[in-house]
Amino acid sequence: MATQKTLAATGNVLVAEAMRQCAPDVMAAYPITPQTTIVEEFAKFVAQGRVHTEYVTVESEHSAMSACVGASAAGARVMTATSSQGLALMWEELHIASGMRLPIVMANANRALSAPINIHCDHSDVMGARDTGWIILFAETAQEAYDNTIMSVRIAEHPDVLLPVMTTLDGFITTHSIDRAQVMDDETVAAFVGDYHPDLALLDDTKPPVSHGNFAGLGGPYFEFKKAQRNAIDRSAAVIKSVGEEWSAICERPFGVIEGWGMEDAELAIVAIGSTAGNARHVARELRAQGVRVGVLKVRVFRPFPFAEIADALGGCKAVAVLDRSESFGAEGGPLFLEVRSALYDRAERPAIVDYIYGLGGADVKLELMRRVFSDLSDIADGAEVPGRLVYLGAR
Amino acid sequence: MASIKELSRREDKLAGGHRLCAGCGASIAVRQVLLGAGDDYQIVAGCATGCLEVSTTIYPYSSWKVPFIHNAFENSAATISGVEAAFKGLKAAGKIPGDKKMKFVAFGGDGGTYDIGLQSLSGAMERGHDMVYVCYDNGAYMNTGIQRSSATPKGAWATTAEVGKAQQGKTQKRKDLTSIIAAHNIPYVAQGSISEWKDLAAKAEKAFAVDGPAFLNVFAPCPRGWRIPYNQSVSIASLAVKTGYWPLFEVVDGEWAMTTKRVTRENRLPIEDFLKPQGRFKHLFRPGNEALLVEIQADVDRNLDYVMKRAGL
Ligand SMILES: Cc1ncc(C[n+]2csc(CCOP(=O)(O)OP(=O)(O)O)c2C)c(N)n1
Ligand code: SF4
Ligand SMILES: [Mg+2]
């Protein structure tokens, strides 16, 4: 019988709790604000003997992911966590982890990238990793960070997928704020994630020895390996959905790849990822009470990007604002905008669409800003000019 | 210590047919080390990007008869530390029997060890993983076309330490990596050479027998990069030992000892004997470079004094 208890805890504590319940064989991690309390929390579990995990206190994030690659290829269930500069330092290894098809699960505390140095929330770090072949999930709340972590294990290790999963939560806003969340009992989580039975593990001596990470140049099959990787991440879309439904049936919380509020008849919509979806929804409720047909579309899964779902959800809108908490300097807009606009390209009816870059380096996401966005959208729907292709929302 | 007869009966763990150049010191180093390791434990090997890795793992083939992993250039040590951690974690999970014995070995070239992989190696040694790290030192980045590394000897030509009017090859001295690793106070550290198979196999046996981290730095000539005939790798390695350029020693639990035919300040051959047969040093013998040769000899002697002193001689 699944039993849940209600806790008041930070996002990081809940991620660490989810990791403990998923019982990784190896955790290799390096501290960085605002991820640190995840690895500290996990270190307590190790000291208390509450996990069987071999905890490798590496000397850098590059080595963290390198050790994760080794451990995962060896046949272990492997987890880690990082943020910002740490994720950037791992970049080379992120491609290797996905290219070697290793189901590593990593939490990322979303944080700005230097320079100038800044420890607060934005999505520059994750978005810098968006083409590394990882499945990428965004949590809005601490609860979702907990649930996403548990589901990540199932998604990553699914035989149709075998790809690493990055499960992200917003630095400080979600990692450090105490929130109310429901935590499942250990047995139910253990049964849900199951055991990991890798094929071709280095430590499996029941089969002939295998070589991992071979050279595939000189007219070798590099291109075909990449095609297989593309097919795998495409297949993961169905797995993410079915794992979400399965977990939802147990914990009674919904896990769509996108999550709409008021989208059934919305004329004006904000598309957001992470914690900001909550701010947008708060203002949307106010406006709905005044009779304005507004909606909010939250994107929970960024890779693989849910193109069809997003196009369906936005198809009926008159004006859409995409909120990007990271830059793609020199591009037409932020990373989310580029994807959303591309998703709408094939539709005969396309809403007007504007990109707002907001909250970089933890700049406050005040409700007034959300009100301003909806007000802009309303003007646009009434025929006003789209205010340039990209607006720096709230920058002084 | 296994006799040559016993060694010859052991199965080679690196199969022939790989694409390393004829006479390459790297494969000799791997075979001697893995033969010396013996058959008492199953071995899992890793290797950094470099000549050894790209030439032995061309998909869909592999020369490795043991489970093998290549990850990247700078992280052979971190990768194998992850494999070793998995072994412990899976034992704790009850998925691998508690009494099972396995050993983990990471290979890397001098570039992947002295330079870009130094942090990863230092971290793995400090953490105390039960692993052996083997550097095959050919004194340059051979895979990318003979660029200098911090293991390249002073005065050697390399494609990023050219010879011309303004410069006579590499201007800096090489780094003493073996001492640096010895300073990690790990149970076993040694320097060996492919020319002294018996010494190297014995050192490998000791390194693998250690419970914890061990490090071997193996002198492994590269005929292509050193501009020597392919059938001279072993004799050049032997001259490196006899001239005292590459002292053979081991550090067991902090105790230094020189091994095999002990080369001392008294019986060492002049460094010219090592330098002269190699094309990468030929400019040193042109008029005007006499002082440089004297300097190189002085550096070799100083290092030999240092090792002898540490060994209590
Ligand atoms: C991060 C990174 N930088 C550079 C390279 C290019 N690279 C590949 S192998 C190599 C040199 C290898 O030298 P060494 O470790 O001495 O091995 P050798 O080829 O001499 O056997 C270099 C520079 C790389 N693969 N990765
Ligand atoms: S270039 Fe040198 S190190 Fe590389 S395979 Fe040839 S001989 Fe060996
Ligand atoms: Mg080299």
Side-chain angles (χ1 to χ4, degrees):
Chain A
M1 240 299 272
T3 47
Q4 306 193 66
K5 63 171 189 264
T6 306
L7 279 188
T10 65
N12 276 356
V13 163
L14 289 161
V15 167
E17 180 67 1
M19 287 178 159
R20 180 189 66 73
Q21 294 181 311
C22 296
D25 302 304
V26 173
M27 165 100 148
Y30 193 80
I32 178 167
T33 307
Q35 156 265 34
T36 314
T37 49
I38 298 178
V39 297
E40 287 176 349
E41 213 44 42
F42 205 86
K44 283 183 206 153
F45 299 144
V46 173
Q48 293 160 350
R50 295 180 69 199
V51 285
H52 77 273
T53 312
E54 186 66 20
Y55 188 50
V56 190
T57 48
V58 280
E59 81 301 328
S60 73
E61 288 88 353
H62 193 284
S63 285
M65 191 47 67
S66 301
C68 286
V69 164
S72 185
R77 175 174 288 167
V78 180
M79 289 184 169
T80 184
T82 192
S83 178
S84 181
Q85 308 304 120
L87 186 65
L89 188 58
M90 281 181 188
W91 194 74
E92 175 189 44
E93 288 298 303
L94 297 178
H95 283 271
I96 291 171
S98 62
M100 288 173 76
R101 306 291 301 276
L102 300 171
I104 297 161
V105 170
M106 171 163 68
N108 189 69
N110 306 329
R111 167 183 151 180
L113 288 172
S114 296
I117 188 170
N118 176 303
I119 59 170
H120 297 285
C121 176
D122 73 30
H123 298 157
S124 312
D125 52 358
V126 197
M127 289 304 178
R130 69 189 189 273
D131 295 334
T132 57
W134 284 58
I135 290 168
I136 301 177
L137 311 178
F138 277 88
E140 177 187 338
T141 59
Q143 177 75 68
E144 227 173 57
Y146 170 81
D147 291 318
N148 283 352
T149 306
I150 292 168
M151 287 185 281
S152 294
V153 175
R154 280 283 302 275
I155 297 163
E157 293 173 2
H158 193 288
D160 286 350
V161 179
L162 291 174
L163 285 173
V165 179
M166 204 181 298
T167 169
T168 79
L169 61 165
D170 283 350
F172 290 108
I173 300 164
T174 315
T175 59
H176 283 62
S177 306
I178 294 186
D179 204 352
R180 194 176 54 183
Q182 301 233 288
V183 171
M184 189 60 71
D185 67 279
D186 287 0
E187 292 70 32
T188 303
V189 177
F192 177 76
V193 296
D195 242 5
Y196 175 42
H197 296 289
D199 209 14
L200 305 175
L202 285 172
L203 298 181
D204 180 359
D205 59 5
T206 62
K207 295 182 189 144
V210 282
S211 286
H212 287 245
N214 291 36
F215 181 77
L218 300 178
Y222 181 90
F223 198 25
E224 288 69 27
F225 276 123
K226 293 297 138 185
K227 187 175 167 209
Q229 214 177 315
R230 152 60 78 170
N231 293 341
I233 199 158
D234 286 349
R235 283 195 302 267
S236 77
V239 174
I240 294 167
K241 271 184 202 156
S242 68
V243 169
E245 282 159 15
E246 213 182 302
W247 185 237
S248 182
I250 298 170
C251 70
E252 299 177 324
R253 289 180 290 276
F255 299 105
V257 292
I258 57 170
E259 200 181 289
W261 186 92
M263 290 307 298
E264 304 72 32
D265 63 345
E267 291 180 339
L268 317 175
I270 283 183
V271 182
I273 40 182
S275 58
T276 303
N279 306 38
R281 226 182 279 115
H282 184 88
V283 170
R285 275 196 202 97
E286 287 174 6
L287 292 169
R288 275 276 171 178
Q290 297 163 23
V292 193
R293 283 161 64 178
V294 294
V296 174
L297 187 67
K298 177 177 93 180
V299 181
R300 189 176 69 92
V301 179
F302 190 81
R303 285 284 184 268
F305 196 77
F307 282 95
E309 290 85 346
I310 286 178
D312 287 346
L314 298 176
C317 295
K318 287 186 180 160
V320 169
V322 177
L323 303 190
D324 265 298
R325 206 165 191 161
S326 60
E327 256 288 15
S328 178
F329 296 110
E332 193 61 17
L336 183 59
F337 177 77
L338 298 177
E339 303 288 355
V340 172
R341 197 158 76 153
S342 165
L344 292 167
Y345 182 83
D346 294 328
R347 303 289 158 135
E349 298 280 317
R350 291 189 291 254
I353 181 162
V354 199
D355 191 22
Y356 290 88
I357 305 280
Y358 77 101
L360 300 188
D364 271 346
V365 187
K366 294 183 178 147
L367 296 180
E368 296 133 61
L369 296 178
M370 299 296 113
R371 290 190 191 105
R372 191 187 129 191
V373 171
F374 276 124
S375 152
D376 285 354
L377 290 182
S378 163
D379 292 347
I380 292 166
D382 290 345
E385 285 254 329
V386 176
R389 61 177 186 198
L390 180 149
V391 181
Y392 254 68
L393 182 66
R396 288 184 291 264
Chain B
M1 165 60 209
S3 65
I4 192 162
K5 211 166 178 179
E6 283 165 324
L7 289 179
S8 72
R9 284 199 204 105
R10 288 180 182 167
E11 194 203 17
D12 252 327
K13 295 184 178 76
L14 185 75
H18 52 68
R19 317 244 181 119
L20 290 155
C21 303
C24 178
S27 55
I28 304 175
V30 173
R31 289 175 51 238
Q32 289 186 1
V33 166
L34 294 183
L35 281 177
D39 297 323
D40 289 350
Y41 2 69
Q42 272 178 272
I43 286 171
V44 179
C47 186
T49 312
C51 272
L52 176 61
E53 171 268 325
V54 299
S55 306
T56 55
T57 68
I58 301 176
Y59 188 88
Y61 305 106
S62 175
S63 302
W64 298 83
K65 295 187 174 182
V66 293
F68 171 87
I69 182 167
H70 159 251
N71 181 340
F73 182 24
E74 67 287 73
N75 59 4
S76 180
T79 305
I80 282 297
S81 75
V83 177
E84 186 257 8
F87 181 63
K88 287 183 180 153
L90 289 168
K91 269 190 175 177
K95 290 188 171 179
I96 290 179
D99 58 356
K100 187 167 176 81
K101 275 183 92 179
M102 269 185 142
K103 286 300 275 194
F104 305 93
V105 56
F107 291 94
D110 49 293
T113 310
Y114 285 66
D115 290 345
I116 201 166
L118 182 60
Q119 172 184 318
S120 160
L121 170 61
S122 175
M125 296 291 104
E126 183 272 336
R127 291 192 298 275
H129 295 279
D130 187 21
M131 62 179 277
V132 181
Y133 189 99
V134 183
C135 174
Y136 66 96
D137 184 346
N138 53 29
Y141 303 159
M142 297 310 178
N143 187 46
T144 39
I146 326 172
Q147 294 85 27
R148 61 87 87 185
S149 76
S150 61
T152 306
K154 184 172 185 168
W157 161 84
T159 55
T160 51
E162 278 291 353
V163 175
K165 250 202 322 233
Q167 181 183 300
Q168 298 299 306
K170 192 185 170 197
T171 54
Q172 302 87 355
K173 289 182 222 174
R174 60 176 286 278
K175 180 193 281 180
D176 180 7
L177 180 70
T178 314
S179 288
I180 294 170
I181 303 304
H184 286 65
N185 297 319
I186 57 173
Y188 190 78
V189 172
Q191 206 162 267
S193 165
I194 59 157
S195 56
E196 318 301 316
W197 61 266
K198 202 169 168 184
D199 179 75
L200 181 56
K203 285 171 175 164
E205 188 176 321
K206 288 184 196 172
F208 278 82
V210 154
D211 185 16
F215 174 80
L216 296 174
N217 199 358
V218 183
F219 197 73
C222 160
R224 169 91 191 110
W226 295 11
R227 304 303 200 225
I228 56 173
Y230 71 89
N231 58 3
Q232 294 301 303
S233 357
V234 176
S235 58
I236 294 284
S238 170
L239 284 166
V241 172
K242 288 181 182 143
T243 55
Y245 174 80
W246 192 259
L248 300 178
F249 63 90
E250 62 185 8
V251 186
V252 186
D253 292 322
E255 290 296 320
W256 289 58
M258 294 188 84
T259 58
T260 319
K261 318 159 213 164
R262 192 180 294 154
V263 176
T264 63
R265 278 296 291 282
E266 288 67 45
N267 66 12
R268 62 136 181 83
L269 298 178
I271 193 62
E272 277 89 344
D273 290 8
F274 170 65
L275 303 176
K276 217 163 198 165
Q278 303 183 50
R280 63 173 173 158
F281 295 116
K282 72 168 186 284
H283 53 283
L284 298 181
F285 297 92
R286 288 183 198 141
N289 280 336
E290 296 78 5
L292 193 50
L293 278 174
V294 171
E295 219 183 288
I296 291 170
Q297 181 66 69
D299 285 343
V300 168
D301 287 343
R302 201 167 20 242
N303 185 51
L304 204 47
D305 285 344
Y306 165 76
V307 175
M308 287 172 65
K309 196 168 151 202
R310 297 221 56 169
L313 300 171

